[in-house]
Amino acid sequence: MCIFCKIAAGEIPTHFLYESEKVVAFKDLNPEAPSHVLVIPREHFENAAELAAVDSATLSELFGAARTIATFLGLDGYRIVFNTGASAGQSVFHAHLHLLGGRAFAWPPG
Ligand code: DGP
């Protein structure tokens, strides 16, 4: 079982900022911004592309959860990132949405 499957299953004690039947959200271990939250499907998909192909409703729910969390955290602007594939910086191969906020962000991203 992958690390995010264990977190979603409650095998690793983790505070969920948001949870539903299909998704959970928790703080990133290595935050890149004052607010850095990961929103993941409970079910294992390798990345966002696989999730989009198989279960677009849950992909949509990740965005809805991010919006709810951003409002809860009082973020007036935020960035959503899906690193998809190792060359794009993906290091955990369980689909996850990064919600980043609380500072200004440069464009283009590095
Ligand atoms: P990515 O590089 O896009 O695959 O992002 C993976 C993120 O997951 C990275 O920012 C660090 C975070 N992370 C890795 N392991 C854990 C963990 O065990 N707990 C939490 N909360 N975050 C983790």
Side-chain angles (χ1 to χ4, degrees), residues 33-86:
S35 293
H36 187 169
V37 177
L38 301 174
V39 191
I40 72 168
R42 289 186 188 268
E43 190 178 341
H44 185 89
F45 295 93
E46 180 160 323
N47 56 44
E50 190 192 322
L51 177 58
V54 176
D55 187 355
S56 60
T58 296
L59 178 64
S60 176
E61 193 178 334
L62 296 185
F63 284 101
R67 175 179 178 273
T68 298
I69 295 161
T71 301
F72 174 72
L73 295 176
L75 303 178
D76 58 352
Y78 53 87
R79 182 166 291 181
I80 285 173
V81 173
F82 286 98
N83 294 323
T84 304

